[in-house]
Amino acid sequence: MRCSGEAAAAAAAAAAEEEEEEILGPGDRALPPLHRNGDDPLQARRALPRHRRRRVPLPPRLRLHTLSFLPSVHLLEIAPTLDLLRPLLPPNPYLRSLRLDCSRLDDSSIGYLARPSLHEICLLNCESISGRLLAELGNKCRDIRTLSVNSLAERRGISICFSDLEELLNGCSQLEDSLPSL
């Protein structure tokens, strides 16, 4: 018996559906092609189920560029290492406020903490950072108005020199007195 052209096409489509179901599994459906002539790639991406969409990471240069416009970085909930801090604090002339838990940092991170554009700096748990931080803040951060440094140099063998405090006070002439109201 001869099959008409329509019957042959229907039989081929049914065979293709069965084959597709074997490959994908029951209930799954084939993903739409992302690029057909005349199709918008964004619309094709939106047609995918959410869990099948591929996230494209930003190139490192673009990520650094994005973070270089933040006016404040407040990381009091986590204690970043220096490796995590480097990409989070790229050169940023707009950074005015830095609040950070320094419990996993040491003197090697001082260069990332002392930024010339800062007006407010709050550093908690600075046990492993020496008094050299104060001297660097005095040398680099001339516009600081508010400074809070908690537990500086509390570990044994780490010291704070009078000269470090003197450099801070001479360099940061805009520090404001802020006494808690009683």
Side-chain angles (χ1 to χ4, degrees):
M1 214 156 101
R2 292 185 87 141
C3 293
S4 71
E6 290 176 339
E17 246 180 22
E18 283 179 29
E19 185 180 315
E20 188 176 278
E21 193 165 299
E22 285 177 22
I23 294 171
L24 296 175
D28 285 345
R29 63 174 198 211
L31 299 176
L34 287 179
H35 298 285
R36 275 191 239 150
N37 291 338
D39 282 353
D40 180 18
L42 270 178
Q43 276 188 327
R45 184 179 183 279
R46 287 184 195 121
L48 294 172
R50 182 171 220 105
H51 69 282
R52 298 265 178 128
R53 292 180 188 167
R54 185 173 64 106
R55 294 205 185 270
V56 179
L58 291 174
R61 283 186 179 172
L62 187 57
R63 273 185 273 155
L64 291 177
H65 185 69
T66 303
L67 293 175
S68 66
F69 290 104
L70 291 176
S72 61
V73 174
H74 296 175
L75 296 173
L76 295 174
E77 300 298 322
I78 63 168
T81 61
L82 183 56
D83 290 334
L84 180 61
L85 195 61
R86 278 187 192 115
L88 291 176
L89 290 176
N92 180 355
Y94 303 103
L95 185 64
R96 299 288 182 252
S97 174
L98 177 64
R99 295 180 181 193
L100 194 62
D101 184 343
C102 299
S103 59
R104 298 174 69 190
L105 300 176
D106 57 14
D107 277 357
S108 62
S109 60
I110 290 175
Y112 290 96
L113 301 175
R115 302 292 178 107
S117 61
L118 285 172
H119 289 209
E120 173 192 12
I121 188 165
C122 175
L123 303 174
L124 303 178
N125 304 319
C126 301
E127 297 97 4
S128 299
I129 300 177
S130 71
R132 199 178 105 216
L133 171 68
L134 299 177
E136 280 299 309
L137 290 175
N139 290 329
K140 289 186 178 177
C141 307
R142 306 255 179 210
D143 294 330
I144 286 185
R145 291 180 177 86
T146 306
L147 174 66
S148 174
V149 180
N150 178 284
S151 306
L152 184 65
E154 280 193 358
R155 292 239 167 111
R156 250 184 226 179
I158 300 177
S159 63
I160 299 176
C161 298
F162 182 74
S163 61
D164 295 333
L165 184 58
E166 193 174 41
E167 280 188 58
L168 172 75
L169 295 174
N170 287 336
C172 301
S173 59
Q174 296 184 22
L175 279 173
E176 299 171 355
D177 290 333
S178 59
L179 298 173
S181 58
L182 300 176

